[in-house]
């Protein structure tokens, strides 16, 4: 993974001291609350319903065991003993005290971490495929390009006061696991006909209250032009983006209102004058960043292990876990193992400090001291020897991190909701739990197969409900919690936005409604191979609507 | 009156009078006028011996400015609210695309201690510090310009990877 040099360290240390000074001035009454708000947001600090919330960047989801131990320490010392992994591969702490945040940031800086630009109207954490570097369907590891972009975006003097937040996602595989088409800029690293590396640039995607699928602004951008082209897009957006209405301020609206052709023309004109300037990358710069992301020292003998097959045959619980929570690795004898943060009775994405410490130890023992956070709010050990899978599973099971539900219905993606967030209309965590209880039977879940259920507590869509195969959105009706349901959303290759089923349903009926939808799918599917999404795309809304509304209407009466 | 600082933190004496649109044109002395006034009265303004600077609204496209505006020795860019950063990009466009080589001055609600470094790194030469900002703190803040930054900018025109190999 990327390691800081003196330069990176000095920059992050300076940022800690700057924020300490800003906090001191605010507490001394020398900095107005509204202005401090903008400044603290640029350091990941929100003021939430009950307490401040600090969001810490995990660039493209890659984390070392040492960093994870520091997060455990922060949870213990400054918070209530746990953290929450988000849908953008970050981690949040929900209970720090404002006065202690500079100390938290100083602690983070000792392990090459920070909270810079994790909120506010600026360029946010760069996200990517959580399987970068190990996925079988990958063209090239996207992380060196992510790191280059991260550095370019960090404290960019021109782009700290954009019309609205701005998110990049990178992917370089045949299956898009980074939801690139619903980001402000999605970068697909590709090869052209001549075999040269470059980028398909997608712009103007986004979720929130006006979800839009991004459009291709450039089919092939040469490898060395990534930053200059990004700078051109950002400059046009900074000047053109709307500032009169927060809901129309994202680049997706700018592109929509301007029209892609005109927007592209402006970007290309901007780019023409800067493309051969100091932002043009050199091949050796890229190579230097790539040198941080070489593969681990794999053992050639790992594949000759026979214990794995023996355990599989003997232990059906282990076998169930391997079926759901493992993915094939490029290297024979190794596997990719998912740690499920979606156990029963736990808010999706939450991890305690004890779990973090234990996971850090396991990463050291079994996965080269590194792990990943996924945008589905789980963790991944990317490089586990097959002989180690059984002891790893046993250790994870003892930590309640081995629920075999990756990609299944209870692998719910969910925002913190009413319990923490002042914007939310929904107790999303409680609803997630109810759904968990309803579908707890694993056999039933396996029968349902791959499905993504996403839930957001409000229109801002932090739970990415618009791209859930089943999406649930909390809405407020005269002070009561109601839920709007959408079907058929997807952030995968052919990204699509979910269609609304009809009128929203009340809090007490939402779990029933999900069950009805699932039952309709099971009745409608051609065979077990047809996934929920494929089935919905084939049969459309009518059968779901027919089953859903008589029930809902009757119950509401 | 708020302090006018150079990019090195030196307190400047401002020879310019900021002329309101409804004020009558004085016979002599350097002026700053709005773009609207400039467009309406450029002949009269150019007829005077003293220099005339133009203050640009942050919503205009600087690419639409004519050569006479771009020949001004000083352009004043506006930051009307704390979180509105359009003039940062106006400054970059004036330098990169319009070839503007005169002085750029930042003025307005966002011209505070906490944005000084960004302003100077984006190419502003003069900082009209907001009236409530302590000048001593502002000068101290300029020390932060010496810390490492990743981007090529108005002060160190190379991308960081090159600096590291330097």
């Amino acid at each position: 993974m990327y390691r800081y040099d003196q330069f990176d360290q000095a920059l992050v240390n300076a940022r800690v001291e700057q924020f300490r000074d800003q906090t001191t001035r605010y507490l001394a009454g020398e900095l107005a609350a509204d202005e401090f708000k903008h400044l603290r947001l640029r350091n990941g600090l929100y003021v939430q319903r009950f307490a401040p919330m600090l969001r810490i960047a995990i660039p493209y989801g890659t984390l070392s065991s040492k960093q994870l131990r520091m997060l455990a320490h922060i949870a213990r010392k400054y918070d209530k003993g746990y953290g929450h992994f988000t849908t953008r591969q970050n981690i949040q702490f929900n209970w720090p005290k404002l006065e202690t945040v500079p100390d938290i940031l100083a602690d983070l800086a000792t392990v090459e971490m920070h909270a810079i630009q994790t909120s506010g109207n600026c360029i946010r954490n760069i996200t990517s495929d959580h399987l970068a570097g190990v996925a079988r369907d990958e063209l090239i590891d996207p992380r060196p390009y992510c790191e280059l972009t991260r550095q370019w975006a960090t404290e960019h003097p021109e782009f700290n006061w954009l019309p609205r937040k701005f998110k990049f996602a990178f992917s370089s595989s045949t299956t898009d696991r980074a939801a690139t088409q619903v980001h402000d800029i999605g970068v697909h690293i590709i090869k052209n006909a001549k075999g040269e590396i470059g980028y398909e640039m997608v712009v103007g995607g986004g979720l929130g209250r006006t979800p839009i699928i991004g459009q291709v602004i450039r089919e092939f951008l040469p490898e060395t032009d990534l930053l200059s082209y990004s700078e051109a897009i950002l400059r046009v957006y900074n000047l053109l983006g709307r500032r009169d209405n927060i809901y129309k301020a994202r680049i997706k609206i700018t592109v929509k209102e301007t029209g892609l052709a005109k927007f592209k023309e402006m970007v290309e004109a901007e780019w023409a004058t800067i493309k051969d300037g100091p932002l043009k990358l050199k091949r050796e710069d890229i190579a230097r960043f790539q040198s941080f992301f070489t593969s681990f020292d794999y053992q050639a003998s790992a594949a000759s292990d026979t214990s794995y097959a023996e355990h599989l045959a003997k232990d059906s619980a282990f076998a169930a876990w391997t079926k759901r929570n493992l993915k094939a690795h490029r290297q024979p004898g190794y596997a990719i193992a998912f740690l499920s943060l979606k156990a029963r009775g736990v808010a999706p994405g939450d991890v305690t400090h004890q779990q973090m410490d234990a996971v850090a130890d396991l990463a050291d023992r079994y996965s080269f001291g590194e792990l990943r956070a996924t945008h589905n709010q789980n963790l991944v050990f990317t490089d586990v020897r097959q002989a180690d899978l059984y002891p790893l599973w046993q250790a994870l099971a003892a930590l309640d991190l081995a629920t075999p539900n990756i990609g299944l219905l209870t692998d719910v993606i969910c925002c913190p909701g009413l319990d923490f967030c002042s914007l939310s209309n929904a107790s999303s965590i409680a609803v997630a739990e109810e759904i968990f209880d309803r579908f707890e039977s694993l056999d039933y879940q396996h029968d349902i197969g791959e499905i993504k259920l996403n839930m957001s507590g409000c229109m801002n869509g932090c739970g990415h409900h618009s791209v859930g195969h089943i999406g649930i959105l909390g809405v407020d009706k005269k002070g009561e919690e109601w839920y709007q349901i959408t079907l058929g959303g997807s952030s995968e290759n052919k990204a699509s936005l979910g269609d609304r089923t009809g009128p929203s349903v009340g809090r007490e009926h939402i779990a029933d409604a999900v069950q009805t939808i699932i039952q309709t799918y099971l009745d409608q599917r051609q065979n077990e191979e047809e996934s929920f999404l494929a089935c919905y795309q084939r049969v459309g809304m009518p059968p779901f609507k027919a089953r859903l509304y008589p029930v809902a209407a009757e119950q509401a009466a | 009156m708020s302090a006018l600082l150079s990019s090195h933190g030196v307190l400047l004496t401002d020879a310019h009078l900021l002329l309101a649109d409804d004020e009558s044109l004085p016979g002599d002395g350097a002026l700053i006028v709005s773009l609207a006034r400039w467009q309406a009265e450029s002949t009269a303004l150019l007829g005077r011996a003293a220099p005339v600077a133009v203050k640009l609204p942050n919503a205009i496209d600087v690419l639409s400015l004519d050569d006479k505006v771009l020949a001004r020795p000083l352009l004043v860019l506006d930051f009307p609210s704390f979180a509105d950063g359009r003039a940062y990009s106006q400054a970059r466009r004036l330098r990169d695309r319009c070839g503007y080589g005169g002085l750029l001055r930042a003025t307005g609600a966002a011209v505070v201690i906490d944005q000084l470094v960004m302003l100077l790194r984006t190419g502003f030469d003069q900082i009209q510090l907001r009236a409530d900002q302590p000048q001593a703190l502002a000068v101290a803040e300029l020390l932060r310009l010496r810390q490492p930054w990743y981007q090529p900018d108005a002060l160190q025109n190379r991308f960081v990877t090159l600096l590291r190999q330097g």
Side-chain angles (χ1 to χ4, degrees), chain B residues 17-91:
Chain B
L17 171 74
L18 177 63
L19 194 68
D21 281 355
D22 55 1
E23 266 178 282
S24 58
L25 206 57
D28 55 7
L31 295 176
I32 299 169
V33 298
S34 72
L35 181 64
R37 179 125 188 201
W38 168 267
Q39 283 164 341
E41 296 176 39
S42 65
T43 313
L45 285 162
L46 284 169
R48 300 164 75 255
V52 182
V54 176
K55 182 176 173 181
L56 305 175
N58 78 338
I60 66 137
D61 181 356
V62 296
L63 299 174
S64 68
L65 298 173
D66 64 28
D67 289 347
K68 284 183 183 161
V69 178
L70 295 175
R72 300 295 89 217
L74 172 70
L75 290 176
V76 179
L77 299 187
D78 191 23
F79 291 84
S81 73
F82 190 83
D84 184 342
R86 275 177 281 194
Y88 284 104
S89 286
Q90 282 183 318

Side-chain angles (χ1 to χ4, degrees), chain A residues 148-423:
Chain A
L148 270 163
T149 308
R150 183 192 77 81
Q151 296 196 11
W152 162 78
T154 299
E155 307 246 27
H156 195 300
E158 184 183 347
F159 303 135
N160 232 318
W161 306 96
L162 298 171
R164 200 76 179 88
K165 58 189 171 184
F166 202 95
K167 300 172 178 178
F168 276 81
F170 281 70
S171 167
S172 184
S173 48
T174 39
T175 303
D176 185 351
R177 286 174 290 265
T180 55
Q181 293 177 78
V182 288
H183 278 76
D184 298 282
I185 290 183
V187 183
H188 300 151
I189 310 173
I190 55 171
K191 239 181 205 167
N192 66 6
K194 286 189 240 162
E196 298 159 334
I197 294 285
Y199 320 92
E200 179 188 59
M201 301 293 284
V202 176
V203 70
L207 298 172
R209 71 180 59 200
T210 316
I212 295 178
I213 305 289
Q215 302 181 74
V216 175
I217 185 168
R218 204 161 220 281
E219 278 164 19
F220 188 82
L221 180 71
E223 188 182 22
T224 50
D225 294 335
L226 174 63
L227 302 184
S228 58
Y229 201 80
S230 299
E231 181 135 322
I233 294 175
L234 264 295
R235 183 166 304 155
V236 170
Y237 168 58
N238 192 31
L239 289 164
L240 198 63
R242 286 180 60 173
R243 292 174 189 262
D244 59 330
N245 181 341
I246 187 175
Y247 301 117
K248 296 186 189 274
R250 294 287 289 270
I251 194 173
K252 61 191 175 189
I253 307 291
T254 316
V255 172
K256 195 176 154 200
E257 290 183 349
T258 312
L260 180 68
K262 173 75 183 152
F263 185 81
K264 176 178 172 140
E265 192 186 307
M266 296 170 84
V267 168
E268 296 272 334
E270 199 69 49
W271 185 49
T273 53
I274 59 172
K275 69 191 284 267
D276 296 318
L279 277 178
K280 192 174 188 86
L281 296 169
K282 294 197 164 44
R283 194 58 210 114
E284 58 265 33
D285 293 336
I286 298 169
R288 179 178 169 274
F289 279 77
Q290 283 170 330
S291 71
F292 287 101
F293 299 94
T294 50
S295 57
F296 295 116
D297 238 344
Y298 298 121
Q299 291 173 359
S301 61
S304 57
D305 156 77
T306 54
S307 66
Y308 176 63
E310 288 162 22
H311 289 300
L312 269 187
K314 275 193 297 202
D315 193 327
S316 63
F318 175 58
W321 179 77
T322 64
K323 189 176 164 200
R324 248 6 283 181
N325 293 27
L326 296 186
K327 291 268 181 299
H329 199 282
R330 286 178 197 168
Q331 181 71 20
Y334 283 80
I336 300 165
F338 283 74
L339 285 61
S340 172
L341 303 186
K342 316 290 175 66
R344 186 173 188 282
V346 179
D350 274 10
V351 191
T352 66
H353 68 102
Q354 295 97 334
Q355 285 172 321
M356 286 191 251
D357 273 334
V359 168
D361 291 346
L362 292 172
D364 281 339
R365 199 172 318 150
Y366 298 124
S367 197
F368 298 92
E370 285 186 22
L371 66 154
R372 312 281 177 88
T374 80
H375 86 270
N376 296 334
Q377 302 176 285
N378 292 306
L379 298 176
V380 186
F381 283 2
T382 46
D383 304 85
V384 185
R385 278 192 318 179
Q386 114 190 358
D388 292 333
L389 288 168
Y390 192 69
L392 173 63
W393 169 72
Q394 289 179 308
L396 291 176
L399 293 166
D400 203 16
L401 296 173
T403 313
N405 61 350
I406 299 297
L408 297 182
L409 188 64
T410 55
D411 189 3
V412 169
I413 296 163
C414 177
C415 71
L418 264 179
D419 296 319
F420 298 102
C421 178
S422 45
L423 303 172

